[in-house]
Amino acid sequence: MNESANSNMYEVNAESVLAAYGDFVQGTPEATLLAVATAAPSEAARAAVGGSARQLGFNAGACAWLVPAANEVQLGPEEVGAITEGLDPLAVAVLDEGAAGLFGQAYRCELPLDAATRVKGRTVAAFRSFEAMLADADQKQKAWALLKKLRTA
């Protein structure tokens, strides 16, 4: 049975967030993992997070990508919080220190870097620099270990 988004209140909320913040967030209403970065992630970072999401049991359209700066506009903590709550992901990967600061402000907490924590019922893995970790084999393994803490099943 194929249900439309109109019959699922969570997808309706997510659709409205995607429509309202389309310059800042990419994904589908079915996304269950949100990745947040201060700059557009490289293809390698996108592949690593997306591949990890599939291996960890997230759904096929698992990942939504939030970059809170576009076209010379910078989103504030309130908007980051509204986007997160509207998409309602199961988990969040915060890919760099700047994004961790902004996400922390949105939820009035301090995110420990290169560690996982819980924020408002969600597991959040916050990286100092996910991109830099991908460039080194040992650091890449540490990044994978941290991403595994986001596991849904």
Side-chain angles (χ1 to χ4, degrees), residues 9 12 44-45 73-74 94 114 133 143 147:
M9 68 180 182
V12 170
V73 175
Q74 174 71 44
V94 181
D114 297 330
M133 293 178 91
L147 286 171

Side-chain angles (χ1 to χ4, degrees), residues 80-81 84-85 88-94 100 102-112 115-126 150:
V80 169
T84 304
E85 292 305 312
D88 196 23
L90 298 173
V92 180
V94 181
L102 187 59
F103 192 87
Q105 288 174 6
Y107 287 95
R108 295 180 178 90
C109 67
E110 189 169 325
L111 294 180
T117 191
R118 299 280 293 173
V119 176
K120 296 284 187 175
R122 294 181 183 94
T123 302
V124 177
L150 298 174

Side-chain angles (χ1 to χ4, degrees), residues 23-47:
D23 288 344
F24 305 97
V25 64
Q26 297 175 337
T28 68
E30 298 85 19
T32 53
L33 174 64
L34 176 62
V36 184
T38 55
S42 68
E43 286 303 314
R46 284 179 173 270

